[in-house]
Amino acid sequence: MKGFLAPRNRRFADRRDAGRQLAQALAVYRGQHPLVLAIPRGGVPVASVVAQALDGDLDVVLVRKLASPANGDVAIGAVDEQGRIQLTGRSAVAGAGMSYVRAEAARQRAVIRKRRALYSPDRPPADPTGRLVIVVDDGLATGATMRAALDAVRQHHPAALLAAVPVAAPDSLENLDDLADDVICLHAPAHFRAVSSFYEDFHPVTDTDVVRVLSTPPRPSAGLPVSRPAAFDLPDASLLGDLAMPPHARGLVIVAHGSGADRDNPRDRVLAQTLQRAGLGTLLIDLVTVDEELSRTVAFDIPTLADRLAAVVAKLHHDPALATLPLGLAGDGTIASAALAVAARRPRDIAAVVTRSGRPDLAGAGTLARVTAPTLLIVASEDRPLLALNRAAQRRIRGKNELVVVPGATSLFEEPGVLEAASKFARDWFARWLGARARPPRRRPTGGRGADRLAS
């Protein structure tokens, strides 16, 4: 059991008061744009306060407790949205056979389906993949519902998964250690009675209450970090960049460009802001000077671009403020091949690579075979020649990799919504792998090499 705060006699005025106190205990995660998932219905008011305080996204994870055949108020387990069942030791004591468990699970899944249609009729559930996810409830008695919720979220490979509750029975907390990367609880009394006994006001939360909370527009965030100029004096050029670091950044992504002053490109500004909202620092840097831009020769000189990018990586590793952060590389066009060349050359320094409308094939078969950093290739569906080149390059990459095809997009991602979609794929990839490098989750993501998926 981790993250438990010092035990003391504690009662909460109501669920919002519990949420405020829980948010204080989770303050270290502010600036990392967490996904806060509430267990309905009682967990929603608590999670709403936490999400606002941490500038995170709020949604629900739908699980239902399985009631004992002898006492409907006692949980013998829980079932999630996909039908996975978690049973507690009480199931045998209660005399619940598997026929009863299956029937009870079917009844509760019907409730889950109705709630999903009610709570989010016009949008899909929030995707936990690659995110810092905090699962919140108003308290734990048996812990079965929280275990089911954590297990359901873990299937989506979050970068880190936390359980957070105001109050819990101590043995319930210990049963979460195998599913959560951390467990935060404000009060775990030795003589636990019921969750309601620790609240002055514990009135029932209705579906109407949940819908109102989920439909409320989020409070404006504290804003994006202010970028500051960064200069890198190399033997053959002085490179300019813009560095932006959110509070408590858990990684740094170098977004490299092959044209002078191209770091002002709106496409990469969108990408940088998306990464910053996820708690990742960004360095937008031009690998070609303004004077060199006139000749265009350096922009296609992959060895020179790779040498300059590698030199920037080396300088970052000698910066005391940035040296401990895992690094990611992002680039399009010929920069994609330079980024892969650096990943092959410095495998211990690069945690992940993302290319967008890139030319990874120009790195060469030998270089691609030495790339072990997890690599995501993002390609527009309408750029069929480039798609073929990326698929051919993908087959040569040795490490974990995926290729995402963004439907309806052309190479510059100028169609409505496609640039944002591509940026979110990059965000999720970096959050997943840079987070894993910074602090490995208990269960690393699984899956074969060379996956190819169509974005939807």
Side-chain angles (χ1 to χ4, degrees), residues 119-140:
Y119 294 163
S120 53
D122 302 320
R123 59 178 175 81
D127 184 5
T129 304
R131 301 285 300 274
L132 165 63
V133 180
I134 305 173
V135 181
V136 176
D137 205 353
D138 56 8
L140 301 184

Side-chain angles (χ1 to χ4, degrees), residues 57-74:
D57 294 327
L58 175 67
D59 205 344
V60 293
V61 53
L62 295 181
V63 290
R64 289 282 293 174
K65 77 173 185 179
L66 304 179
S68 164
N71 183 345
D73 293 330
V74 176

Side-chain angles (χ1 to χ4, degrees), residues 74-203:
V74 176
I76 60 170
V79 62
D80 69 14
E81 202 162 356
Q82 285 69 45
R84 287 184 291 265
I85 296 172
Q86 292 268 356
L87 293 178
T88 69
R90 297 186 181 186
S91 60
V93 176
M98 285 311 299
S99 60
Y100 171 83
V101 169
R102 284 192 289 269
E104 174 68 0
R107 285 192 292 270
Q108 298 306 331
R109 285 195 72 194
V111 175
I112 288 175
R113 286 191 292 270
K114 289 180 181 178
R115 286 189 172 178
R116 176 59 69 190
L118 178 64
Y119 294 163
S120 53
D122 302 320
R123 59 178 175 81
D127 184 5
T129 304
R131 301 285 300 274
L132 165 63
V133 180
I134 305 173
V135 181
V136 176
D137 205 353
D138 56 8
L140 301 184
T142 66
T145 304
M146 177 61 80
R147 278 191 62 85
L150 293 171
D151 188 56
V153 175
R154 181 64 80 181
Q155 307 305 315
H156 294 273
H157 309 301
L161 179 58
L162 283 67
V165 292
V167 62
D171 56 346
S172 297
L173 291 177
E174 293 173 358
N175 288 335
L176 303 180
D177 276 353
D178 62 325
L179 288 172
D181 296 314
D182 205 355
V183 179
I184 306 298
C185 179
L186 302 179
H187 186 34
H191 302 289
F192 183 89
R193 299 180 298 278
V195 172
S196 60
S197 64
F198 297 94
Y199 286 83
E200 299 289 346
D201 177 359
F202 199 70
H203 67 269

Side-chain angles (χ1 to χ4, degrees), residues 1-23:
M1 179 173 62
K2 306 180 293 293
F4 170 56
L5 303 185
R8 54 188 180 274
N9 293 326
R10 181 189 288 267
R11 285 173 66 85
F12 305 100
D14 54 20
R15 291 182 178 88
R16 290 190 62 82
D17 174 46
R20 285 189 288 270
Q21 296 188 44
L22 197 57

Side-chain angles (χ1 to χ4, degrees), residues 28-46:
V28 67
Y29 297 106
R30 182 179 173 85
Q32 298 190 28
H33 194 61
L35 172 60
V36 181
L37 295 179
I39 298 178
R41 290 177 290 197
V44 173
V46 182

